[in-house]
Amino acid sequence: GRKFLKKVENLYLRITIDFHTVKISPSTVTLRDRDSLDQIRVNTAEVCSLINSLSLGKTTWAAAAATHPSQDEWLKQNPLEE
């Protein structure tokens, strides 16, 4: 709700752990940029390093998005089996 959004508005990156994270190997998470609302899929083994690089200005969101699949592309290629 509104209280949650107010608390996280200063966070410029958000991580989502979903069913795909748990059920598909290798495990990946969704990383979302606050300003552009773009979402990329990142392997869990590299997400901390990527966030660190983004936070320190060693890389940009555009560079990260160029080397990782978008959330939509990734979901099309990795549907959950029912």
Side-chain angles (χ1 to χ4, degrees):
R2 290 183 190 182
K3 288 182 182 181
F4 174 78
L5 290 176
K6 185 158 181 75
K7 288 180 183 179
V8 298
E9 67 187 5
N10 293 326
L11 301 176
Y12 70 96
L13 294 172
R14 296 188 182 123
I15 299 173
T16 301
I17 299 169
D18 57 18
F19 289 112
H20 288 84
T21 302
V22 178
K23 293 187 176 196
I24 295 181
S25 182
S27 295
T28 59
V29 295
T30 302
L31 191 60
R32 176 184 289 197
D33 177 59
R34 176 195 63 197
D35 298 333
S36 68
L37 299 180
D38 286 342
Q39 299 178 82
I40 57 174
R41 203 72 190 194
V42 181
N43 190 306
T44 55
E46 64 179 293
V47 71
C48 291
S49 175
L50 179 57
I51 290 172
N52 188 48
S53 293
L54 288 164
S55 298
L56 296 175
K58 293 180 179 178
T59 193
T60 63
W61 179 260
T67 58
H68 294 83
S70 73
Q71 171 73 350
D72 292 337
E73 291 172 8
W74 191 91
L75 288 175
K76 287 178 187 174
Q77 295 173 2
N78 297 279
L80 283 179
E81 295 178 14
E82 298 195 27

